[in-house]
Amino acid sequence: MPLLTLRDLQLDYGDQPLFDHLDLTIEPGERLCLVGRNGSGKSTLLKVLDGEVQADDGQIERSQGLVVARLEQEVPEDQDHSVQEMVAQGLGELGRLLAEHDRLSHRLNDGDDAVMARFQQLSDRIESAGAWQLFQRVETVLSKLQLDGEQRFAGLSGGMKRRVLLARALVQEPDLLLLDEPTNHLDIDSIRWLESFLRDYPATLVFISHDRAFIRALATRIIELDRGRLTSWPGDYDRYLEGKQAALEVEERNQAEFDKKLSQEERWIRQGIKARRTRNEGRVRALQTLRKEAAQRRQRQGTAALAIQQGDRSGKTVIEAEHLSYAVGGQTLLRDFSLTLLRGDRVGILGPNGCGKSTLIRILLGRLAPDGGTVKQGTQLKVAYFDQLRDSLDGEKSVIDNLAEGSDVVEVDGRKKHVMGYLQDFLFEPARARQPVKSLSGGERNRLLLAKLFTRPFNLLVLDEPTNDLDVETLELLEEQLVNYQGTLLLVSHDRAFIDNVVTSTLVFEGGDPHWYVGGYEDWLRQRPEPSAPETVKAARPATRPERSEAAKPARKKLSYKEQLELRDLPARIEELEAALKALQSTMSDPAFYKEAAETIAAEQQRLSELEHTLAEAYARWEALDQLNS
């Protein structure tokens, strides 16, 4: 039996409906990823599923006793509570009573009669409600998510705050868990932890994400919100991409045929009027219907026209740093660190939040003085720094004024272009361009920052977390521009797919020291030393830049006889798994499959998830053994 069903859902915002007769069925055990362009209504749909927002029309059918919990996109900043109190809030009024009871329990030795009286009053209310077992539920969730209930929420990192909010949702023991951009501002380790946790969590998931690696790891079905309509794509993310491309090609052909027919009918009626002939009234009515349909047709939002201006070539050596050291608040971020950045290097900087990635960039760019060591910048250097531009946006000024500062034109590649036309390249319609920046969404702000960045030529591009809140299509276009960019790139990002597609080497903060690796994120996973052998890290990862010709490699061990046999048999095993997965995906892509019993659908979806996980493990094992054998 479905957990939740939407039938003919309608919700109107502005001139166009946000939801145009949506239908959706959510089965137990599914992990649905909701995708769509920024502003398409994804977050609003989660609020509808949660019951916070009411649709204008249509039906929502929920299974009896359905418990829904939602993790919102924004992290509250004004919460002066302990972690335990924040988690207990998920239990509603009873949770607040339990949190207050726990807080007062630490004051019973103060001899305060008022505290004793209130403590007893709370104990009686909790007893009468039969809620003592909820204490254990809170403690269980805290333990499972590795949280310290005594810590203050306000003092946690952004990633840990999100983990607390996830715990607050999980303590409700939801049947349906709704997650709105759960990976935003998380570092890679936190994202991988969340992936692993959610993959094994028994509740049904509906989540919004632009992180392609995260989607690939979790989603069993993709649902897309596009121009008010919801489309379901069974299977994984890559299968969705293939199906979506085919659907867009069919849509373009159908629209071309429609436009051709409309043009023919318009010519016919003009000729009929000119010759003063008696017109076929049925054909006239058909033309009126075509005109109405054309007027109501919602065009797919265009793609941002990002274009990087290539600056003059810099000198061969872009930045040379020697023996850098830096500490803040008693924490050493850099110690005796050296690197040489050469023209054309494309370096991804990875590491957990707070390890010093942004600090290192500011030191290399001369915006922050190191405690020790020297930094020399090369000749003819023109720097574009994404992080610096974030602070330059004035929330009270309009989009136009933030970009052009009172001018009507911007200069791009030596040519003047009207500011409104330039902003339309970045998907800002005239009405939106005149609104204050404070009204923009996160994705729109990032597009404006990129627009401002690309009005000037440069040969050293520094991007500090550029991908947050960008929809996938804009993200992929930015990737394409960066791949074709001929200058030098420094990139800080937690988007693993973005890193793999853009950089050619990585600088990874691990164990407190940055180490160089050749390749992207997946290459780092293959090359990094075994965690159980810390002495290998020092030997294999010098603090200076490796030669271009050969990557520094950790010490290898020879394959045992058993591992040699395993390596020999793995390709056949992978082929078997791929064949089984392809057959199951083919079955599930047939609309008739979803007419089966709910238990059958859930069982097959679970089998699909297990097959995908097993295949990923087999690939990872083969790569690890092959790396050792090479």
Side-chain angles (χ1 to χ4, degrees), residues 15-269:
D15 298 334
Q16 299 282 4
L18 192 65
F19 303 151
D20 190 3
H21 305 286
L22 300 190
D23 293 312
L24 176 65
T25 299
I26 301 175
E27 300 287 351
E30 287 194 289
R31 297 196 296 266
L32 278 67
C33 179
L34 175 58
V35 299
R37 300 296 291 268
N38 289 335
S40 61
K42 301 187 297 296
S43 295
T44 303
L45 181 56
L46 288 196
K47 293 176 182 178
V48 169
L49 297 178
D50 191 24
E52 179 181 328
V53 171
Q54 300 298 315
D56 296 331
D57 200 4
Q59 295 180 327
I60 303 179
E61 300 173 4
R62 293 179 169 85
S63 62
Q64 188 172 5
L66 178 68
V67 178
V68 181
R70 177 164 58 95
L71 175 66
E72 298 185 36
Q73 186 173 358
E74 298 300 325
V75 175
E77 298 295 339
D78 57 348
Q79 299 293 325
D80 186 23
H81 299 290
S82 70
V83 168
Q84 186 177 52
E85 289 170 334
M86 289 292 294
V87 174
Q89 286 178 5
L91 299 171
E93 180 61 27
L94 281 176
R96 285 187 285 273
L97 295 180
L98 289 168
E100 185 181 358
H101 184 279
D102 181 71
R103 189 167 61 251
L104 292 179
S105 68
H106 298 290
R107 299 178 54 193
L108 294 180
N109 295 329
D110 295 348
D112 189 324
D113 292 339
V115 170
M116 290 291 295
R118 177 59 177 166
F119 181 81
Q120 187 58 50
Q121 181 186 30
L122 289 171
S123 298
D124 293 341
R125 290 180 64 181
I126 294 170
E127 178 71 32
S128 63
W132 287 116
Q133 73 276 11
L134 297 181
F135 260 130
Q136 184 58 44
R137 189 189 296 183
V138 172
E139 292 300 322
T140 298
V141 171
L142 288 172
S143 175
K144 186 177 294 185
L145 271 66
Q146 304 168 24
L147 294 169
D148 180 358
E150 300 301 319
Q151 284 187 293
R152 306 306 296 179
F153 180 79
L156 298 178
S157 67
M160 291 305 293
K161 284 180 178 179
R162 281 192 168 272
R163 191 178 294 200
V164 173
L165 297 179
L166 177 62
R168 185 170 69 177
L170 296 181
V171 79
Q172 303 173 49
E173 296 186 347
D175 306 299
L176 177 60
L177 181 59
L178 310 175
L179 306 172
D180 194 347
E181 292 287 2
T183 65
N184 257 11
H185 307 291
L186 296 186
D187 57 39
I188 289 178
D189 287 342
S190 298
I191 293 172
R192 294 180 65 191
W193 173 87
L194 183 62
E195 277 179 9
S196 177
F197 179 84
L198 292 176
R199 189 185 293 117
D200 298 331
Y201 190 68
T204 301
L205 301 180
V206 178
F207 66 96
I208 298 170
S209 181
H210 297 143
D211 186 322
R212 291 158 293 177
F214 187 78
I215 298 172
R216 286 186 171 99
L218 281 180
T220 59
R221 177 158 61 112
I222 308 295
I223 50 176
E224 182 187 36
L225 191 57
D226 180 19
R227 290 166 284 177
R229 299 295 182 91
L230 195 65
T231 309
S232 176
W233 303 85
D236 62 17
Y237 182 67
D238 292 308
R239 189 177 183 86
Y240 151 74
L241 291 178
E242 294 174 3
K244 178 64 177 178
Q245 182 60 37
L248 286 176
E249 291 171 0
V250 171
E251 179 182 346
E252 289 176 2
R253 287 198 298 270
N254 290 342
Q255 288 188 358
E257 292 173 2
F258 175 91
D259 293 341
K260 181 179 179 181
K261 182 178 181 181
L262 177 59
S263 178
Q264 290 172 343
E265 293 301 298
E266 293 284 6
R267 285 200 303 271
W268 169 82
I269 199 167

Side-chain angles (χ1 to χ4, degrees), residues 530-541:
E530 292 292 335
S532 59
E535 68 279 3
T536 307
V537 177
K538 294 293 184 183
R541 300 291 162 227

